[in-house]
Amino acid sequence: MKRLRIQYLLVMLVMLGITGSSFAQTATQILDKTASVIGRKGGAAANFKINSTKYGSTSGTIAIKGNKFQATTPQAIIWYDGKTQWSYLKHTNEVNVSNPNQAQQMSMNPYTFINIYKSGYKATVTSKAGANYTIRLYANNQKRTVQEMYITINKKSYIPSVVKMRQGKTWSTITVSNFKAKNQPNSVFVFNNKDYKSAEVIDLR
């Protein structure tokens, strides 16, 4: 009888282990769910704050759709259509046109990670405490423009609230709030000359 009890307990422990592991999500699975939420086909909008020794500190609003974004801050308005970026600087009345690298995109768009985490990064869950997951992305090739990232993601909504990234020895932290689904027309992500007729356009490509 005692042996049967021990065997029963062992079986239960094994079953609990199997059940527990089946519910444990990997970092990639968490990021997949996050990408499906914030990368919705119609687009989304949010508020953000940036604190970086390299890019300075600012806050504003952002509209996203796929890899496109439009960010508005007190200092500038930035449009990115997936290839070309237009940066309107309010104090100089200039528009700089460029093809930004990954780090430059991430400096204004905290959601850039949803398009890069599957390629060239090792993803691990560093914390499951409280209401959030913390995911670490570490570049396999440390010559990439963004070598390391930490992403704080809500366990229920799968909406990220903080994205911290390292470029060389410089860390930048982007805090995101008021995320909401919002259909965005593609025109939102393209600079319109008619709206800024007096601005000087400088092509840096």
Side-chain angles (χ1 to χ4, degrees):
M1 188 72 177
K2 186 176 181 180
R3 181 178 294 179
L4 287 174
R5 285 181 180 176
I6 292 172
Q7 289 176 341
Y8 175 77
L9 288 172
L10 288 172
V11 169
M12 288 301 294
L13 285 171
V14 170
M15 290 302 294
L16 285 170
I18 293 172
T19 304
S21 63
S22 68
F23 283 104
Q25 296 187 87
T26 67
T28 301
Q29 288 172 328
I30 294 168
L31 289 171
D32 285 344
K33 289 186 178 181
T34 301
S36 68
V37 171
I38 64 179
R40 64 182 296 273
K41 188 176 180 180
N47 293 55
F48 69 92
K49 293 181 180 179
I50 298 174
N51 186 9
S52 170
T53 55
K54 186 177 180 67
Y55 298 105
S57 299
T58 191
S59 61
T61 59
I62 187 168
I64 60 170
K65 185 178 181 180
N67 65 340
K68 305 178 181 70
F69 73 90
Q70 191 253 48
T72 301
T73 73
Q75 299 83 17
I77 304 173
I78 298 175
W79 300 261
Y80 180 67
D81 67 356
K83 179 182 179 182
T84 302
Q85 178 172 293
W86 297 265
S87 302
Y88 173 64
L89 307 177
K90 296 180 181 180
H91 70 288
T92 60
N93 197 32
E94 294 176 349
V95 179
N96 293 326
V97 187
S98 62
N99 296 130
N101 62 31
Q102 190 179 92
Q104 289 167 336
Q105 291 177 49
M106 288 200 71
S107 70
M108 291 304 293
N109 180 10
Y111 301 123
T112 301
F113 74 86
I114 69 171
N115 298 307
I116 65 174
Y117 73 90
K118 293 181 180 180
S119 176
Y121 285 90
K122 180 181 179 181
T124 56
V125 181
T126 62
S127 174
K128 299 179 182 179
N132 299 310
Y133 296 111
T134 301
I135 307 295
R136 181 194 188 216
L137 293 179
Y138 191 80
N140 297 329
N141 181 356
Q142 284 294 290
K143 291 184 179 180
R144 290 189 72 156
T145 52
V146 177
Q147 293 90 24
E148 187 176 10
M149 282 178 276
Y150 287 88
I151 305 157
T152 302
I153 299 169
N154 184 274
K155 290 180 179 179
K156 291 184 178 180
S157 65
Y158 288 92
I159 294 173
S161 57
V162 180
V163 178
K164 186 177 180 181
M165 66 173 181
R166 177 172 63 84
Q167 184 181 9
K169 295 182 179 180
T170 301
W171 284 95
S172 301
T173 302
I174 306 176
T175 305
V176 189
S177 60
N178 299 324
F179 176 90
K180 58 183 178 181
K182 183 178 180 181
N183 292 336
Q184 305 282 2
N186 289 329
S187 58
V188 168
F189 311 103
V190 179
F191 171 72
N192 189 338
N193 287 287
K194 294 179 180 179
D195 295 331
Y196 302 88
K197 294 179 180 179
S198 65
E200 180 184 1
V201 178
I202 303 171
D203 198 328
L204 303 175
R205 290 171 293 182

